[in-house]
């Protein structure tokens, strides 16, 4: 049996049908013509065109390939977005040599590209302290004109030039907008000292922008040494106290249990940071966090309803896809505490 005969038997399309189907597919997929335009050209109905295009796909005459950069996992990204009801979920391949390392640097690079898509001219971009947000700011190469404000104090005032202050300056430099850094530690000895600092002119000016933030970028920490800035700043007694309350995650100096409920609210009174009710009103809150060790913490924060989008890696994503019952959609922005 000849090749054409075999093809006709298998595909039930004669040579004229094959040629016509190929021509219609070329018009539709490569030239961007509508089905109505193709129908007029070939003198058939648009329903006939639709059937021919469908048959071309079924019979493998046309193959459609969806390609994304190798480092992006499109399947996991879509599954994670659907599970948590996120606006955007971007999953990056975990570095093979650093599977246990939290927040691989390539997360910051991808997050920088994502911000380039999400931020519009005139927006107010808020950046919270975190290694991942610092990596993101360093990788920024495009941003429309926008105001950039720091959402938290710094881990250590002595390292401000290498931390969140520099991240805010870098983002403002790329965008050509105004920068509002915060020259103050994130955690203070007591609430009175924190209140006094909030009233200082420069810090108060930054705080005035919190209610205007349209896109925020935050990090997530697990409640263990080296993976939570706040954990590392507290005394042993304080760590034990908050652990007894069931803390599973930390974001911008706010603590959450495994269900996404806030715990240890008294800690926030000692911190220079954006309030959770302010974050909940921000239209787009992008969390950058990855690594298998951070899986439970990411799940907890996503359940809080504070985050709308996530940039993570495959090792964390694999944990998240099986982390208990699926939560409510993050886009509901509901407060698990009901307050």
């Amino acid at each position: 049996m000849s090749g054409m005969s075999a093809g006709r038997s298998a595909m039930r399309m004669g040579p004229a049908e094959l040629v016509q189907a190929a021509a219609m597919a070329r018009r539709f997929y490569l030239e961007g013509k509508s089905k109505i335009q193709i129908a007029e050209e070939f003198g058939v109905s648009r329903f006939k065109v639709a059937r021919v295009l469908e048959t071309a796909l079924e019979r493998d005459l046309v193959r459609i390939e969806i390609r994304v950069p190798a480092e992006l996992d499109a399947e996991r990204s879509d599954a994670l977005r659907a599970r948590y009801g996120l606006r955007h979920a971007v999953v990056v391949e975990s570095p093979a040599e650093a599977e246990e390392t939290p927040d691989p640097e390539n997360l910051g690079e991808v997050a920088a590209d994502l911000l380039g898509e999400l931020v519009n001219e005139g927006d107010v971009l808020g950046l919270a302290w975190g290694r991942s947000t610092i990596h993101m700011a360093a990788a920024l190469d495009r941003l429309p004109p926008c105001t950039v404000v720091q959402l938290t104090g710094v881990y250590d005032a002595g390292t401000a030039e290498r931390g969140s202050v520099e991240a805010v300056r870098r983002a403002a430099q790329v965008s050509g907008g105004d920068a509002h850094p915060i020259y103050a530690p994130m955690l203070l000895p007591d609430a009175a000292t924190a209140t006094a600092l909030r009233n200082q002119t420069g810090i108060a000016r930054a705080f005035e922008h919190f209610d205007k933030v349209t896109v925020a970028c935050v990090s997530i920490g697990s409640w263990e040494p080296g993976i939570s800035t706040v954990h590392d700043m507290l005394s042993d007694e304080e760590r034990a106290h908050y652990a007894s309350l069931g803390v599973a995650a930390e974001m911008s100096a706010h603590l959450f249990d495994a269900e996404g409920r806030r715990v240890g609210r008294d800690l926030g009174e000692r911190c220079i940071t954006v309030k959770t009710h302010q974050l909940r009103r921000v239209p787009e809150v992008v969390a950058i966090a990855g690594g298998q060790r951070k899986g439970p913490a990411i799940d907890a924060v996503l359940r809080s309803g504070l985050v709308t989008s996530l940039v993570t890696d495959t090792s964390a994503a694999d944990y998240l896809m099986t982390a208990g019952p699926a939560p409510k959609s993050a886009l509901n922005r509901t407060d698990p505490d009901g307050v």
Side-chain angles (χ1 to χ4, degrees):
M1 182 181 291
S2 70
M4 181 172 291
S5 299
R8 183 170 184 175
S9 175
M11 301 178 66
R12 297 182 182 178
M13 297 178 74
E17 292 173 312
L18 283 169
V19 170
Q20 184 183 70
M24 288 183 177
R26 184 177 298 107
R27 303 291 194 280
F28 186 73
Y29 291 108
L30 299 182
E31 299 176 12
K33 291 188 176 181
S34 70
K35 293 174 184 176
I36 293 177
Q37 290 174 314
I38 297 171
E40 291 176 349
E41 178 182 348
F42 287 88
V44 298
S45 71
R46 61 187 176 88
F47 302 105
K48 167 72 171 178
V49 173
R51 286 196 298 271
V52 170
L53 292 175
E54 183 178 350
T55 301
L57 283 172
E58 291 175 350
R59 305 301 184 184
D60 209 26
L61 184 64
V62 173
R63 297 182 182 182
I64 298 176
E65 294 185 7
I66 300 174
R67 295 183 178 181
V68 296
E71 68 271 15
L72 298 182
D73 192 312
E75 185 175 348
R76 282 186 175 92
S77 297
D78 188 56
L80 195 60
R81 178 200 56 77
R83 173 174 167 80
Y84 285 91
L86 296 164
R87 184 170 291 117
H88 304 285
V90 182
V91 177
V92 181
E93 286 289 341
S94 302
E97 70 280 3
E99 292 184 356
E100 297 301 317
T101 301
D103 301 337
E105 289 192 23
N106 61 339
L107 294 186
E109 297 170 2
V110 173
D113 287 340
L114 179 60
L115 280 190
E117 294 182 56
L118 299 180
V119 176
N120 296 307
E121 183 173 351
D123 275 346
V124 177
L125 172 62
L127 301 181
W129 194 95
R131 296 178 185 88
S132 56
T133 52
I134 291 170
H135 291 154
M136 179 276 299
L140 281 172
D141 59 10
R142 63 185 176 99
L143 272 181
C146 64
T147 299
V148 186
V149 59
Q150 192 171 323
L151 296 179
T152 64
V154 298
Y155 173 46
D156 181 347
T159 62
E161 291 301 316
R162 300 190 299 275
S164 46
V165 170
E166 180 57 30
V168 169
R169 286 176 173 169
R170 167 65 182 168
Q173 180 184 33
V174 172
S175 74
D178 294 332
H180 295 276
I182 294 177
Y183 296 96
M186 181 189 296
L187 179 66
L188 282 304
D190 51 62
T193 304
T195 300
L197 276 178
R198 292 189 199 104
N199 291 329
Q200 288 188 359
T201 302
I203 297 174
R205 188 175 297 118
F207 270 55
E208 289 173 358
H209 284 80
F210 285 1
D211 288 327
K212 305 173 186 176
V213 173
T214 51
V215 180
C217 190
V218 301
S219 296
I220 296 173
S222 301
W223 197 245
E224 56 181 301
I227 311 185
S228 166
T229 302
V230 173
H231 178 282
D232 292 346
M233 289 191 287
L234 295 174
S235 66
D236 291 340
E237 292 77 15
E238 290 171 323
R239 292 170 190 155
H241 165 66
Y242 292 119
S244 72
L245 300 180
V247 59
E250 173 261 316
M251 180 185 71
S252 302
H254 300 294
L255 309 182
F256 304 88
D257 68 10
E259 299 301 319
R261 297 180 294 253
R262 284 189 63 203
V263 296
R265 293 170 183 265
D266 60 304
L267 181 65
E269 298 175 4
R270 298 168 48 194
C271 293
I272 302 297
T273 185
V274 63
K275 302 293 186 183
T276 54
H277 73 266
Q278 292 173 311
L279 276 177
R280 204 175 298 279
R281 290 198 296 262
V282 176
E284 185 73 79
V285 179
V286 181
I288 313 170
Q292 188 173 12
R293 292 171 64 188
K294 277 197 176 182
I298 299 170
D299 177 64
V301 172
L302 291 181
R303 292 175 186 273
S304 74
L306 292 171
V307 170
T308 61
S309 297
L310 174 69
V311 177
T312 190
D313 65 348
T314 51
S315 60
D318 288 343
Y319 173 88
L320 293 170
M321 291 305 301
T322 58
K328 295 179 181 179
S329 171
L331 298 183
N332 288 335
R333 311 306 296 276
T334 54
D335 188 342
D337 296 319
V339 296

